[in-house]
Amino acid sequence: MGFWSLLEVASMPVIQVLFISVVGAFLATDRCKLFPVEARNSMNKVVFVLFAPALMFANLAQTVTLEDMISWWFMPVNMGLTFLIGGILGWIVVKILKPPPYLEGLIVATCSSGNMGNLPIILVPAICDEDKSPFGNRSVCRTVGLSYASFSMALGGFYIWTYTFRLIKGSAMKFKDIEESEQKAIRSSNSDLEADHKSHLLGAPEETLVKQETGFWRKGVDFLHEILEELRAPPSVGAIIGFIFGAVTWLRNLIIGDDAPLRIVQTTAKLLGDGTIPCMTIILGGNLIQGLRSSAVKPVVVLGIVCVRYILLPIIGIGIVKSAESFGFLPADPLFQYVLMLQFTLPPAMNIGTMTQLYNVGQDECSVLMLWTYLVAILALTVWSTIFLHLLV
């Protein structure tokens, strides 16, 4: 499979995302005025509460069985490593470049959270369909590859709606604290400065005392409470229920298959889930107009994220997958290894835009980051796919 064929295959899903984003951007322009901020916020809530949970449930219940979870056990480990290593590299980027505090979580999220959804679903079967595909029989490759990509998408959604969701939520809290501090400063400038200073001094020891009384046990309970709250997010609930229906045979037979008595549940969930990616992408495009006008993202931040996602992570991914193969952790299937390597090379997850819109923090900057990272992804996915194929076959 030549470079130009790979370029065509790898660029198609990325170009689709960019085209839909352009549509969203046009609808949000002052000339069109069909997609204002209020409409984007309302659509984003529908995606969060309805479309994304339906997508998680439909994909997991249909494509993942208990046997798959056991035989493909390294895929969730591999994906966890992409989030962990990407998060560490993103944290390093934040410490070096020192962006505004409310953007720190967004930068770490874009470095750690890849688009495990629509890109592998399109890219992997497309490579199998090529006449010169190195993965053997076309129909077998497509079926197995689609299962790998679907499992990757389901796992990615679970990681994103827990780990990444927590990062964006933390940024929103920082942004809120900054706004409250500014409002307090404005109020204090209009009042007696000396009296305000005394009240601040009187309040400080009490705050310090409260912090000192907060022990390790209390922190652990608070952390567990936060995790449980994140697991209660609608997409996470959809993923958990999908895992249960996929793993339990009799539940799976209720909704999956032509003879399933409740197959209408699966078809309805799939119909709703199909609206997730287009809606998220249109919202992202709508935010892009405002982002290009007022974004606080510096070019060096974009460069740092691009280096992490398209240089450092793919190199680390090759080392991890090859090491796992040498230890006998992986099935004897080069396509499985290709999907694992691909997980280290994908552009940032579209769900990040949904989260920033949900918490009303950094959505303009998120759109700009997505624009540049997806433009670079056209070439990066092609180059790295070529390298992966040469290493595996």
Side-chain angles (χ1 to χ4, degrees), residues 28 91 112 117 128 145 160 164 224 279 325 333:
W91 178 81
S112 60
C128 291
I160 288 166
T164 311
L224 181 61
C279 288
E325 181 191 17
D333 184 1

Side-chain angles (χ1 to χ4, degrees), residues 214-227:
T214 304
F216 176 79
W217 172 253
R218 181 62 185 173
K219 290 180 180 179
V221 172
D222 290 342
F223 178 75
L224 181 61
H225 179 72
E226 288 180 10
I227 295 296

Side-chain angles (χ1 to χ4, degrees), residues 303-362:
L303 182 62
I305 294 171
V306 166
C307 289
V308 169
R309 289 228 62 93
Y310 301 129
I311 298 177
L312 298 179
L313 276 178
I315 294 173
I316 295 171
I318 291 174
I320 289 174
V321 174
K322 283 299 182 182
S323 299
E325 181 191 17
S326 65
F327 284 111
F329 293 159
L330 307 181
D333 184 1
L335 182 59
F336 185 78
Q337 297 179 34
Y338 171 77
V339 173
L340 295 182
M341 291 182 181
L342 188 65
Q343 290 173 351
F344 283 90
T345 318
L346 297 165
M350 302 293 296
N351 291 319
I352 298 173
T354 301
M355 297 172 193
T356 58
Q357 189 81 21
L358 186 68
Y359 283 107
N360 195 30
V361 56

Side-chain angles (χ1 to χ4, degrees), residues 174-188:
K174 285 184 179 180
F175 185 62
K176 185 178 179 181
D177 290 341
I178 292 172
E179 284 188 330
E180 289 179 354
S181 299
E182 291 176 349
Q183 291 174 0
K184 287 180 180 178
I186 293 173
R187 285 197 299 267
S188 65

Side-chain angles (χ1 to χ4, degrees), residues 34-182:
L34 289 177
F35 205 33
V37 175
E38 295 78 11
R40 298 199 294 272
N41 288 335
S42 298
M43 180 182 285
N44 192 74
K45 291 176 182 177
V46 174
V47 170
F48 177 69
V49 173
L50 183 61
F51 290 171
L55 181 68
M56 294 295 100
F57 172 81
N59 278 280
L60 275 168
Q62 183 174 8
T63 61
V64 180
T65 64
L66 182 61
E67 292 77 12
D68 292 336
M69 295 180 193
I70 295 172
S71 61
W72 301 343
W73 66 271
F74 190 78
M75 186 177 287
V77 175
N78 185 76
M79 192 172 293
L81 290 173
T82 68
F83 279 78
L84 175 62
I85 297 170
I88 293 172
L89 294 174
W91 178 81
I92 293 173
V93 170
V94 166
K95 292 304 177 183
I96 293 174
L97 301 181
K98 301 185 184 304
Y102 72 93
L103 291 181
E104 292 178 359
L106 174 61
I107 293 172
V108 175
T110 51
C111 287
S112 60
S113 310
N115 187 337
M116 308 291 178
N118 56 323
L119 291 186
I121 287 286
I122 297 173
L123 186 58
V124 175
I127 290 178
C128 291
D129 288 339
E130 287 294 319
D131 293 332
K132 298 179 182 179
S133 172
F135 297 120
N137 182 274
R138 180 183 300 182
S139 61
V140 175
C141 173
R142 181 178 179 82
T143 302
V144 175
L146 193 58
S147 297
Y148 291 157
S150 298
F151 191 39
S152 174
M153 182 174 83
L155 289 172
F158 188 78
Y159 277 104
I160 288 166
W161 287 106
T162 51
Y163 171 81
T164 311
F165 188 70
R166 192 165 186 270
L167 288 174
I168 301 300
K169 184 178 179 181
S171 290
M173 293 175 66
K174 285 184 179 180
F175 185 62
K176 185 178 179 181
D177 290 341
I178 292 172
E179 284 188 330
E180 289 179 354
S181 299
E182 291 176 349

Side-chain angles (χ1 to χ4, degrees), residues 283-285 287-288 291 362-372:
I283 294 169
L284 191 72
N287 292 332
L288 184 61
Q363 58 264 50
D364 298 337
E365 290 81 1
C366 179
S367 298
V368 174
L369 291 177
M370 291 292 179
L371 172 66
W372 290 110

